[in-house]
Amino acid sequence: MSENKSRNFIEEIIEEDIRNNKHQGRIHTRFPPEPNGYLHIGHAKSICLNFGIAKQYNGKTNLRFDDTNPAAEETEYVESIKEDIRWLGFDWEDREYYASDYFQQLYEFAVQLIKAGKAYVDDSSAEEIGKMRGIPTVPGILSPYRDRSIDENLVLFEDMKTGKYKEGEKVLRTKLDMSSPNMHLRDPIIYRILFTPHHRTGTNWCIYPTYDFAHGQSDSIEGITHSICTLEFENHRPLYNWFIENLDIFPSRQIEFARLNLEYTLMSKRKLLQLVNEKIVDGWDDPRMPTISGIRRRGIPSEALREFATAVGIARRENVIEISKFENIVRAQLNKIAIRTMAVLRPLKVVIRNFSSELEWMEIVNNPEDPKSGKRKIPFGKEIYIEADDFMESPSEDFFRLTLGGIVRLKSAYIIQCEEIVKDKNGDIEYLLCSYIENSRSGSDKSGLKPKSVIHWVEVSNCISATVRLYGNMFTVPDPSNYEDIHSILNKESFIEISNAKLELEMKSANKELRYQFMRKGYFFQDKSSTSQNLIFNRTISLKDSFLK
RNA sequence: UGACCCAUGGUGUAACGGUAGCACUACAGAUUUUGGUUCUGUCUGUUAAGGUUCGAAUCCUUAUGGGUCAACCA
């Protein structure tokens, strides 16, 4: 806690609470996902906030699955959520909780409310209740069942619990204020009947608490001091507090912050599920997905995600983060750790006429950003591959690479000059005939030549083929959430597969945990399906390219 | 035409009544055997109008703009 460091508004609240010795200075947060989908980068912001702030103030963070709706929730999601949080680097220790752990307690809270005359069973249909609720500018009307006796309510609620009624036949509502300008206070429903089996409690229950009746009480039961959620729950806060006061339980405090919005990125679980269901993507962990598992498969280190979550800031103002902010952090992270290697994505063969048929071994550094990473030797020979677009037959003026008659430096090797273009019957370039400049070897260059550019290459008989996958934004517009029809804004080029890239032979035993930089092409990470027999590299992100064309 | 919340460069975020700062972007230059990295510099900002004050991005009022809320979802 440095004195002059600027604090976000939540840190200010917490420090104020600590100064006042509120809850004896205890800080306890929670991350409360509903297990109905995979976690995405927006959740990552929340995870980092909740776990980060607890750590910062010597507090604890619970993982609590908000599983009060059996119709949507599945164990598969529980597992993925836990894996993702662990990968992000956070530990909830033994505090793995479920709102469903509290069903009995919540039921008793409901009974308590009924006994206090503050809740009633309503026989109205969903439609009728909706109608009677009114609209924000017009008060609602009282349900005809609102004044049932406490005893009758007790019996009816018990009957709901024992399965005497069908789904939708009855609900339990609070007796609050049907004319409140806050719609959430117009006798909100707190229990409904659902016969779908629950992923944890099975068929033990057929009545389930709603979010409003479960969340705050769960916080309270766990002694959560600061319950951090997103802005859309702001209007729920009066209700959150009402339950705490009327149940007379531990006063957790709800604090709302603005959720993360990212350019070109969809955060809606519903629409992400649609992408998965319609097989527009290769599952929840498709490298184009903003899910934590997709981000992981793409090769983005968790540290970059954590740094991003911090960098975007915590405030109460709606925001849209530029994708460049994210990319900047990912590149900065990868630049430090990636092993440099040469890989030719779209090979063009070059025959160096005046070079011997013997191989010559060249030295190359593994990572110029990390002196400890060392050097290695790579073979250079008479036939090499270069990147097809590193040669231009009729170059523009700002093209610095190889041209007919021009020279270019081969990274860590010689300068070559292109003398002839050999084409096939169709007029397509088959290969290039070049010569090398003998005294231009890297490290002992006496040629005096100054090529405008350095390009990567691999030696033909010492390389392996691999599949390389390039990814781009999934959508063509920066604000996909504003479009209901996602099909019309899908980026057709968000996924490009190259099946015959040429990699340095050493890459046959590439480490699946390591990040690589294919020099001048970007950062790459092996796909989960990659094997040494069938190498598959996902491009995490390209390098910045100031040669725009 | 309700309630609640929000408003600082292109974007995000600081400044807590006393010099509007930082990061990203963009642009320019330097370095560079990756058109990468690194370094330097430049551009651009307090939504508006009143008020309080010696002094307002900050406090007050009003306006304007934006967000959330009318699931038996969370």
Side-chain angles (χ1 to χ4, degrees), chain A residues 120-124 128-134 138-148 173-180 185-187:
Chain A
Y120 63 97
V121 172
D122 195 330
D123 300 1
S124 311
E128 287 165 337
I129 289 175
K131 266 206 191 101
M132 288 188 286
R133 188 154 28 221
V138 180
I141 56 174
L142 271 30
S143 164
Y145 304 96
R146 200 172 196 260
D147 290 317
R148 291 217 249 231
R173 304 177 69 181
T174 58
K175 195 184 282 189
L176 233 160
D177 179 5
M178 286 306 288
S179 60
S180 170
L185 264 26
R186 319 249 264 225
D187 288 11

Side-chain angles (χ1 to χ4, degrees), chain A residues 219-404:
Chain A
D219 285 340
S220 184
I221 289 166
E222 293 176 13
I224 300 301
T225 55
H226 302 265
S227 177
I228 302 168
C229 63
T230 48
L231 246 29
E232 67 266 29
F233 292 101
E234 195 177 315
N235 292 341
H236 294 246
R237 183 164 13 102
L239 227 205
Y240 183 101
N241 293 334
W242 190 87
F243 286 127
I244 282 173
E245 281 162 31
N246 285 274
L247 259 12
D248 192 26
I249 53 180
F250 178 81
S252 302
R253 172 173 176 188
Q254 173 178 310
I255 300 168
E256 313 87 18
F257 73 103
R259 69 177 333 134
L260 171 71
N261 295 293
L262 230 200
E263 277 184 345
Y264 298 99
T265 307
L266 219 42
M267 298 291 182
S268 149
K269 273 193 198 175
R270 197 190 93 239
K271 287 180 185 164
L272 293 177
L273 180 63
Q274 187 189 348
L275 291 169
V276 172
N277 284 343
E278 294 183 12
K279 305 224 184 312
I280 292 168
V281 295
D282 179 27
W284 283 100
D285 66 346
D286 184 291
R288 290 166 292 178
M289 289 284 270
T291 51
I292 293 178
S293 53
I295 285 169
R296 177 169 60 232
R297 185 172 166 196
R298 175 102 169 222
I300 292 168
S302 64
E303 190 180 349
L305 205 44
R306 269 178 265 133
E307 204 178 310
F308 177 67
T310 308
V312 296
I314 302 298
R316 285 177 67 83
R317 163 184 0 166
E318 290 291 336
N319 62 83
V320 182
I321 307 295
E322 290 178 337
I323 196 75
S324 62
K325 178 103 177 180
F326 183 57
E327 294 177 338
N328 176 270
I329 288 170
V330 172
R331 287 195 182 104
Q333 193 63 236
L334 259 12
N335 179 50
K336 284 190 296 188
I337 60 173
I339 297 297
R340 270 62 170 177
T341 180
M342 294 201 282
V344 176
L345 269 36
R346 294 183 173 84
L348 170 61
K349 191 189 274 190
V350 167
V351 177
I352 302 166
R353 289 161 149 168
N354 60 342
F355 199 78
S356 79
S357 49
E358 299 289 304
L359 291 179
E360 188 173 329
W361 291 82
M362 305 296 182
E363 197 174 64
I364 188 167
V365 296
N366 290 319
N367 181 358
E369 305 294 320
D370 177 13
K372 294 194 300 290
S373 68
K375 297 175 179 174
R376 67 177 188 283
K377 299 267 195 191
I378 53 170
F380 180 77
K382 192 178 178 68
E383 293 192 348
I384 61 170
Y385 291 119
I386 65 167
E387 204 68 61
D389 62 13
D390 281 341
F391 175 79
M392 271 186 97
E393 195 174 351
S394 28
S396 53
E397 222 171 73
D398 57 352
F399 185 78
F400 300 160
R401 286 105 91 169
L402 193 60
T403 58
L404 184 56

Side-chain angles (χ1 to χ4, degrees), chain A residues 14 54 76 119 121 165 204 227 255 278 316 447 490:
Chain A
I14 286 177
E76 176 201 350
V121 172
Y165 305 111
N204 294 350
S227 177
I255 300 168
E278 294 183 12
R316 285 177 67 83
S447 70
L490 284 173

Side-chain angles (χ1 to χ4, degrees), chain A residues 5-21:
Chain A
K5 190 180 155 278
S6 75
R7 281 164 241 108
N8 64 50
F9 78 99
I10 296 178
E11 292 169 324
E12 283 181 2
I13 288 170
I14 286 177
E15 291 187 14
E16 170 85 31
D17 288 345
I18 290 172
R19 271 195 299 278
N20 296 334
N21 202 33

Side-chain angles (χ1 to χ4, degrees), chain A residues 47 51 54-55 59-63 82 85-96:
Chain A
I47 292 167
F51 281 91
K55 186 172 183 191
K60 292 188 164 94
T61 305
N62 294 356
L63 169 60
K82 290 198 278 188
I85 299 173
R86 271 190 224 107
W87 177 76
L88 255 187
F90 297 105
D91 185 5
W92 56 93
E93 298 173 326
D94 58 348
R95 294 179 307 282
E96 176 179 328

